[in-house]
């Protein structure tokens, strides 16, 4: 599309946006001075802005558009559903066909021991549900002292009170005196940044044992659950050392606490399996889901519940006083169902595992040769580049953490691709339908972006 054919009034939209719209996770004053980018269309892995520029969506929206943008089939399913039943609730002994069909579909693709789902509208709400559900479970099981939930520093579980508290983002905690009581955090398995002189394998064991130490310190009879992302997304695509999950599994098998695998990013094919828990062979008790569940076409999330948790939650009887107006919303459920049907019909999960995942990984990890890159890593279709001032020295990082990442992100956008910056690492999480040709373009733009960033840092005397 050319600028001439895309006739959106950029300046007027920016002015109205600045006057009335408060953006998430944004310094609004600084943004308003600069002006927003305005995205007007999207198709496949490509975005179009109000100036007619085409931009490769290296982040699948916000880690969510698994099947690519502009699938008419999902729009049609939603249209049909809204024409038949645009809204009804799932409280008070009622249900509706899309909620039933989606629940059945989720039980089909979930690990065999997970057969039930509780719906909400986002990943944050899913984790608020988790927070209440694990405590309710232990109450029902006659162990009401089990209340503490252990999360991890730099984990991300959403931005509501429970999500922020379970997550380990210190900047978020500082705003609003969080976490709420009853949450503890242990270290993350971030070898590149925190592994010091240990090998990745040693560090994986070392950091997993922090869970054991925390349970002992708090008292197993007081711990309700441990929550973790299989691979941390928003924390910077932190792929744990190979020893980490087996050691955590060993600890969990010896302790009577619930395990919550947050699948909001890793779920729905991102790692080349339906769930990150399949990829690492984890057996979680609960799995919060959202994002790729509907490929972001409409907001829907949920918590997948294991048969074990169903015993406390359901079999013991009693009402769990929890739910949302939009739990199982019919149009959102229809969107999710159409999305999952596309994923199954087109074998998208296998495509990630056996084709585009390995194809992109080979090319992405080759970017690790660049003088600005300390480590290039990828699993499935999620990857990171650690930008460093000095190759081969993990301890030397840029002053003013985040400045170089932001510079590189802005250059990437100018070069025609969205990458996300986390501190000074660059992140990609593209739509799972990325073609070989598009993967080549992605890597070429990433390469040019690294070159341009390096040249600018040289000019500034930072490398
Ligand atoms: N869990 C995980 C693992 C997530 O990544 C949430 C829960 C919360 O989901 P909702 O739908 O409430 O946003 C998330 C969300 C980023 C970014 O910039 C990441 C997320 C959301 C917004 C921005 O990396 N992850």
């Amino acid at each position: 599309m050319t600028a001439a054919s895309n006739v959106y009034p950029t300046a007027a939209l920016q002015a109205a946006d600045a006057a009335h719209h408060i953006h998430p996770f944004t310094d609004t004053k600084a943004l308003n001075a600069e002006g927003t980018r305005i995205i007007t269309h999207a198709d496949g892995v490509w975005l179009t802005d109000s100036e007619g520029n085409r931009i490769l969506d290296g982040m699948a929206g916000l880690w969510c558009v698994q099947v690519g943008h502009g699938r008419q089939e999902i729009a049609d399913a939603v249209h049909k559903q809204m024409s038949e039943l645009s809204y009804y609730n799932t409280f008070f002994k009622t249900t509706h066909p899309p909620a039933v069909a989606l629940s059945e579909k989720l039980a089909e693709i979930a690990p065999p021991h997970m057969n039930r789902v509780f719906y909400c509208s986002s990943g944050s709400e899913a984790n608020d549900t988790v927070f209440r559900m694990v405590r309710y479970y232990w109450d029902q099981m006659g162990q009401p002292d089990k209340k503490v939930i252990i999360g991890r520093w730099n984990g991300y579980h959403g931005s509501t009170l429970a999500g922020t508290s379970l997550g380990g983002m210190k900047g978020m905690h500082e705003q609003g005196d969080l976490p709420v009581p009853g949450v503890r955090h242990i270290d993350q398995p971030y070898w590149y940044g925190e592994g010091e002189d240990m090998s990745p394998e040693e560090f994986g064991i070392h950091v997993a044992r922090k869970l054991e130490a925390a349970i002992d310190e708090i008292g197993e009879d007081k711990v309700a659950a441990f929550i973790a992302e299989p691979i941390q997304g928003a924390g910077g695509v932190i792929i744990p050392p190979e020893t980490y999950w087996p050691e955590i599994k060993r600890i969990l098998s010896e302790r009577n606490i619930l395990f919550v695998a947050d699948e909001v990013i890793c779920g729905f094919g991102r790692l080349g399996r339906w769930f990150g828990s399949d990829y690492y062979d984890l057996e979680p008790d609960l799995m919060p889901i959202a994002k790729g569940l509907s490929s972001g076409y409409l907001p829907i999330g949920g918590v997948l519940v294991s048969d074990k948790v169903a015993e406390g939650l359901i079999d013991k009887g009693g009402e769990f006083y929890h739910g949302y107006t939009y739990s199982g919303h019919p149009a959102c459920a229809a969107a999710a169902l159409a999305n999952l049907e596309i994923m199954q019909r087109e074998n998208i999960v296998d495509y990630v595992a056996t084709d585009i995942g390995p194809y992109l990984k080979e090319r992405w990890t080759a970017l690790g040769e660049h003088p600005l890159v300390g480590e290039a890593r990828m699993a499935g279709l999620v990857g990171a580049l650690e930008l460093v001032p000095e190759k081969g020295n993990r301890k030397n990082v840029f002053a003013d953490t985040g400045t170089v990442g932001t510079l590189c992100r802005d250059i990437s956008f100018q070069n025609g691709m969205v990458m996300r910056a986390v501190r000074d690492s660059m992140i990609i999480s593209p739509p799972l339908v990325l073609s070989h040709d598009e993967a080549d373009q992605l890597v070429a733009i990433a390469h040019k972006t690294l070159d341009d960033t390096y040249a600018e840092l040289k000019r500034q005397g930072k490398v």
Side-chain angles (χ1 to χ4, degrees), residues 206-222:
H206 166 81
V207 82
R209 289 190 183 158
K210 303 261 176 171
L211 176 62
E212 203 162 41
I215 297 170
D216 285 337
E217 194 197 316
I218 301 159
E220 190 176 324
D221 54 341
K222 295 202 171 55

Side-chain angles (χ1 to χ4, degrees), residues 149-313:
I149 308 176
I150 301 174
R152 302 184 301 181
W153 293 119
N154 199 40
Y156 189 78
H157 301 294
S159 69
T160 50
L161 283 183
T164 302
S165 297
L166 296 172
M169 301 291 179
K170 288 185 183 160
M172 291 174 74
H173 289 171
E174 277 160 21
Q175 296 177 337
D177 289 337
L178 296 171
V180 295
V183 180
R184 293 282 288 271
H185 296 90
I186 58 172
D187 289 341
Q188 56 177 337
Y190 180 30
W191 175 78
Y192 189 86
E194 297 173 2
E196 304 205 329
D197 295 329
M198 283 176 259
S199 68
E201 293 71 28
E202 285 165 350
F203 180 68
I205 304 264
H206 166 81
V207 82
R209 289 190 183 158
K210 303 261 176 171
L211 176 62
E212 203 162 41
I215 297 170
D216 285 337
E217 194 197 316
I218 301 159
E220 190 176 324
D221 54 341
K222 295 202 171 55
V223 179
F226 171 55
I227 181 167
E229 303 151 79
I231 287 176
Q232 287 154 260
V237 182
I238 292 170
I239 304 174
E242 278 176 14
T243 50
Y244 180 76
W245 281 117
E247 184 65 3
I248 293 280
K249 275 180 67 177
R250 198 259 315 149
I251 296 163
L252 289 170
S253 73
E254 293 169 7
R255 305 306 183 111
N256 188 26
I257 67 171
L258 297 178
F259 172 47
V260 184
D262 185 334
E263 295 277 359
V264 170
I265 283 180
C266 294
F268 304 101
R270 177 59 56 198
L271 303 183
R273 301 292 299 269
W274 275 108
F275 296 97
S277 296
D278 301 326
Y279 183 79
Y280 283 116
D281 193 25
L282 311 175
E283 271 202 32
D285 298 298
L286 295 169
M287 298 200 309
I289 53 175
K291 293 193 189 273
L293 166 58
S294 66
S295 279
Y297 278 66
L298 282 178
I300 181 164
V303 180
L304 289 171
V305 174
S306 65
D307 298 339
K308 172 179 157 184
V309 171
E311 188 195 337
L313 191 67

Side-chain angles (χ1 to χ4, degrees), residues 369-383:
E369 302 298 314
H370 194 279
L372 192 55
V373 178
E375 182 182 76
R377 53 179 181 262
M378 175 162 267
L381 270 195
V382 63

Side-chain angles (χ1 to χ4, degrees), residues 29 158 172 279 325 427:
K29 191 173 169 192
M172 291 174 74
Y279 183 79
T325 304
I427 307 298

